[in-house]
Amino acid sequence: YYKIIENDSRINLDADDILETTTLDSLNYLDEDDDEETLQLAENTIIYYNGKKVGSAQKNKNLLMPKEGNVILCDKEEDGVYDLVIVYDYRTVVVNYVDENMIYDIYDKHINLKKIDSISIISGEESIDASELKPYDVISVAESLDGKRINIIADFEVKEGYIVQSTEEEDKTIYQFITTEGDEFEVEAAKSYQDAVDMGVESKLLVPDARIIRIRLDTFGNVAFAEILDAEAQKANITLYGFLVETDRTGSLGGDVMLKILTADNRFEVFTLKTNDKIYLGRNKAGSYVKSTVNAEVFLDAIGGKGSADRQLVQYRADEDGNLTQLFLPAASGTPNIISEDVSESFLNYRQGVLSQQYYMDDKTVVFSIPENAIYENVMSVGKYNNFFSEGSNKTCSLYDVNDGHVGAVVIHDTISITYASADSGYEMILNYASSPVLFINKSTKRVGEDGELYMGIDGYQNGKMISVNVSDDLKNDSDSSRQLKPGAVIHYENNDNSKSWAMTADEAEMMVVFEKVFDFNEDNGSGIRWDHDIIEDNNPDVLTLWGVLETIEPAYCSVAAETNGVLQSYAMQLMNNVTFLKYNRAKEEFQPITQHELAAGQKVYIIKQSGNQTIVVY
């Protein structure tokens, strides 16, 4: 070993001071006065790079020029020729989460713990274990060339404040940052963060404005991660996954372009692109992926034209005013830094967080459930992977943005169910459109029980019979749910009887725990269908909804004029043996049983068919 003497024979240089003119024979750097200096290296200089000795064949001058870190040079003979160079070259990682196998980085630069022989993590003056790292902790990682040894410095410094100005200096930007306590200092962006901003993975938050941001610094004082403290503003200017459902144009040729996108927070959002607006579009063109700013006309043509755009997963960005600024269509499989479909419609099995023993999902993965041929919005949904996958389940999926096994987004093609998690009850509640009961609400009541508790109940028709359903606390205490559970509404719902059968005890009363409104007879819903006519005939869906004007009524069938995509068409439907006829009285807000003989051409009707039951309502 070398005994390193604390004198002039040992020099410690910061990475920023080392010049690119450095070679394996001499190391060039800037001194404190910014004067260029040269240090002579021995012919057989020993190089230790990130904790391990470098073999002769691996030596190159780039090892002596770390991006972040320092270089220590030692002169054993004190003859002005340096025999030993110790290099620490760090990269910045922002922790997503940690398990026994990996430290997952939010920018997908993961650390495989299973491949490491030696790991050292220092926080302050203490050694810590990898399991102690938390989401968004910033770590600086020095990894040996063979990847077997890793030294980590963990820095948990967080600042809140705002940037007042930025200054360009050579090839870097210096930001003047003032904390909420009034302290002022200069910061730069860490390379990993700047790369993420350049690729559109992160929003550009390091700009002089009045927004208060939270920054996390690495061990060199550079910004490794930034976020807006205002939760609503934070949603703006971030690239998000969405599912493009529909495109259209208002008016004639040259009108505004409208897009409907199912967003990652499970709602449909309509964006309008005016004729003269510009948008940054990424799409496949002439065999390559092109990103460019286009007008509304080019944009509409690129995504398929009016009303004919392929339904597909997209990435998009909107500004704080909700205007669409960027949209990216999928690229070829595995294209780096661009949304890509890497596994196309494969039948995949799920077990222990992993699909088909290859691909893993986490809370960053966005899952879209888009049943094949579904055109009715209430069968499309978005959530986390545990909303749709249960242990041992098998589904047909497309996987997007797969990186080192991690899946960025999933589209499920073969399900029409939504799973809701109940933290209070400790079990999952599933709303399945194929099997969930359909209830026509006649009365919504609230009453005080013997214990003084306020209870809510729903009365209505289900499969032709009048029934009563109790409503759970979670629903009755929610103002939005209470508004929807009103006379005249038609709902799918689930009660907790299945969940109770799984529990050790079943003390809870049977009650409605989840629902979704399907139709509201108090509103003018126009006309429409849940599936188009061809699919009705070919696939015989489990649930069918059709509403419009009754054209003909015969003992065995009826026909209804309904509108689909702006086109009025006639749809014929067979009348089943088990059919219920109702009439909705809007003034009294109640359903009343009628006979088939009271139906006549010209009436507005609503028809719903599920399994062996059918209900026809005149309104």
Side-chain angles (χ1 to χ4, degrees), residues 22 31 34 82 85 130 166 254 273 283 288 377 399 468 528 581 615:
T22 291
D31 63 14
D34 284 341
Y82 290 84
V85 181
S166 61
L273 188 65
R283 77 277 194 195
S288 60
E377 292 177 0
L399 308 185
S468 296
F581 298 95
T615 302

Side-chain angles (χ1 to χ4, degrees), residues 86-99:
I86 302 171
V87 181
Y88 288 101
D89 188 3
Y90 291 92
R91 62 182 174 91
T92 302
V93 167
V94 183
V95 176
N96 185 358
Y97 71 98
V98 179
D99 61 23

Side-chain angles (χ1 to χ4, degrees), residues 30-50:
L30 295 177
D31 63 14
E32 294 177 355
D33 299 322
D34 284 341
D35 294 327
E36 186 171 338
E37 300 286 350
T38 298
L39 298 175
Q40 188 68 34
L41 302 182
E43 184 177 351
N44 295 314
T45 300
I46 296 172
I47 300 176
Y48 270 81
Y49 183 85
N50 290 342

Side-chain angles (χ1 to χ4, degrees), residues 42 96 249 321 368 477 501 583:
N96 185 358
R249 187 190 284 282
D321 297 323
F368 293 81
N477 294 328
S501 68
K583 183 173 184 178

Side-chain angles (χ1 to χ4, degrees), residues 370-388:
I370 310 293
E372 287 295 327
N373 302 322
I375 65 169
Y376 203 67
E377 292 177 0
N378 73 350
V379 300
M380 304 179 190
S381 59
V382 186
K384 301 297 185 183
Y385 68 98
N386 53 7
N387 296 134
F388 301 96

Side-chain angles (χ1 to χ4, degrees), residues 29 141 183 229 376 381 387 396 422 523 525 542 612:
Y29 70 100
V141 181
D183 298 326
L229 290 187
Y376 203 67
S381 59
N387 296 134
T396 302
S422 170
E523 300 173 358
N525 292 283
D542 295 299

Side-chain angles (χ1 to χ4, degrees), residues 318-352:
D319 60 23
E320 294 182 7
D321 297 323
N323 300 312
L324 194 67
T325 59
Q326 297 182 11
L327 188 136
F328 301 98
L329 303 177
S333 176
T335 304
N337 309 323
I338 300 173
I339 176 176
S340 61
E341 183 180 17
D342 297 294
V343 180
S344 179
E345 293 193 32
S346 296
F347 191 66
L348 304 175
N349 57 77
Y350 174 82
R351 190 172 298 278
Q352 296 180 346

